Amino acid sequence: MKSKFTVSSFLQAKANKEKITMLTAYDYSMAKIVNDAGIDAILVGDSLGMVVQGYESTLEVTMNDMVYHCRAVARGAENALIVGDMPFLSYHVSVEDAVRNAGRLIQEGKSQAVKLEGGVEQVANVTAIVKAQIPVMGHIGLTPQSVNLFGGFKVQGKDTVQAQKVIDDALALEAAGVFAIVLEGIPEKLATLITEKISVPTIGIGAGRYCDGQVLVIHDLLGMYSGQSPKFSKRYAALNETIKDSVMAYVTEVKTAQFPEEKHTFTIDDAVIAALQQ
């Protein structure tokens, strides 16, 4: 049986040049499946706002939402490290709010670490949360909570100024005490440079082949959308079609009295029925 993956396991994996695997999950059933499949870490991402709740962005996700989903995932993930996303405005107002909300994800949500977006500007929050004995994963590059500031979901770090900002963010987060950094939506060569510069693992999503690990949204991996997947994602299944076909078959069989069949029913002694009919 796979042993428990921890924050220390992240650092050891980088030292041993072993790739780290990470996926999102938002409920008990999916958490158990990916855990049992051998995933190293599960991100309970605020991406649930889009793939579970149907919002256009992650900005409407609340702390209560995150606590609820983290608790569900925690029941299904025995070995994977559980990282809970800190949602929009849960750490933007004050350091005290940041520590308090991070603590909720650990104490109430049963996560083992938290993730927050931003670099240099989040150093005070990261430092305080780590001081409160809560492991922090950073997230820089394309940060979805800043979608309005960026003017959409756009690749970051493509010019000298932007690229230097991403590097500075990575170095600042490392110095503040994060145990890993998600690099999202940046050029592969920039991600490679950052991975070589810092001592903590980099987890890529749309950041190329040479990060220390990779993370994907489980709904993208499983093909649970009929639309186009992001360029950086890979579909390993086409469950949207499979689920839709299965539901259509069920609808047809119920309406035509093909389901349930006799093998799906329970029996009772005919004498009991006869007595009830008197």
Side-chain angles (χ1 to χ4, degrees), residues 196-244:
E196 293 171 349
K197 274 182 172 289
I198 64 176
S199 61
V200 298
T202 58
I203 307 299
I205 177 167
R209 296 164 287 178
Y210 304 113
C211 294
D212 297 305
Q214 298 290 330
V215 61
L216 282 179
V217 173
I218 190 70
H219 290 65
D220 291 334
L221 180 149
L222 295 177
M224 295 181 72
Y225 288 127
S226 57
Q228 186 176 2
S229 296
K231 177 182 179 180
F232 57 76
S233 186
K234 179 178 178 179
R235 284 190 176 188
Y236 288 81
L239 293 194
N240 178 72
E241 291 81 3
T242 300
I243 294 169
K244 184 178 178 180

Side-chain angles (χ1 to χ4, degrees), residues 24-252:
T24 65
Y26 314 103
D27 59 38
Y28 166 83
S29 298
M30 190 62 74
K32 183 163 177 53
I33 291 171
V34 299
N35 177 86
D36 293 351
I39 204 74
D40 293 326
I42 294 174
L43 172 63
V44 188
D46 61 0
S47 49
L48 68 87
M50 302 171 75
V51 301
V52 176
Q53 297 174 319
Y55 299 137
E56 292 185 359
S57 73
T58 64
L59 301 182
E60 295 181 69
V61 178
T62 68
M63 271 303 301
N64 287 340
D65 292 334
M66 292 309 307
V67 168
Y68 173 87
H69 286 278
C70 285
R71 284 180 71 89
V73 167
R75 298 185 192 104
E78 181 180 356
N79 301 314
L81 178 75
I82 302 169
V83 182
D85 241 343
M86 297 190 67
F88 184 60
L89 288 184
S90 66
Y91 55 98
H92 300 79
V93 178
S94 69
V95 172
E96 291 75 16
D97 271 357
V99 174
R100 185 180 303 108
N101 286 321
R104 286 194 64 194
L105 288 180
I106 301 297
Q107 189 173 51
E108 300 175 44
K110 307 303 180 185
S111 296
Q112 287 110 38
V114 302
K115 180 176 77 63
L116 55 79
E117 298 180 7
V120 172
E121 67 277 9
Q122 295 300 334
V123 164
N125 285 332
V126 171
T127 302
I129 295 170
V130 171
K131 187 176 180 181
Q133 308 303 307
I134 299 172
V136 178
M137 175 179 283
H139 183 163
I140 57 177
L142 172 56
T143 48
Q145 291 175 15
S146 303
V147 62
N148 291 328
L149 187 64
F150 293 154
F153 295 97
K154 299 178 180 179
V155 175
Q156 301 296 303
K158 297 194 73 171
D159 61 42
T160 303
V161 173
Q162 279 191 357
Q164 187 62 56
K165 171 67 165 64
V166 180
I167 292 171
D168 291 344
D169 285 341
L171 293 171
L173 290 175
E174 177 188 26
V178 299
F179 71 91
I181 302 175
V182 171
L183 302 178
E184 180 170 359
I186 65 173
E188 181 176 77
K189 289 183 179 180
L190 177 58
T192 303
L193 179 61
I194 292 170
T195 300
E196 293 171 349
K197 274 182 172 289
I198 64 176
S199 61
V200 298
T202 58
I203 307 299
I205 177 167
R209 296 164 287 178
Y210 304 113
C211 294
D212 297 305
Q214 298 290 330
V215 61
L216 282 179
V217 173
I218 190 70
H219 290 65
D220 291 334
L221 180 149
L222 295 177
M224 295 181 72
Y225 288 127
S226 57
Q228 186 176 2
S229 296
K231 177 182 179 180
F232 57 76
S233 186
K234 179 178 178 179
R235 284 190 176 188
Y236 288 81
L239 293 194
N240 178 72
E241 291 81 3
T242 300
I243 294 169
K244 184 178 178 180
D245 289 346
S246 299
V247 173
M248 289 173 65
Y250 166 75
V251 169
T252 297

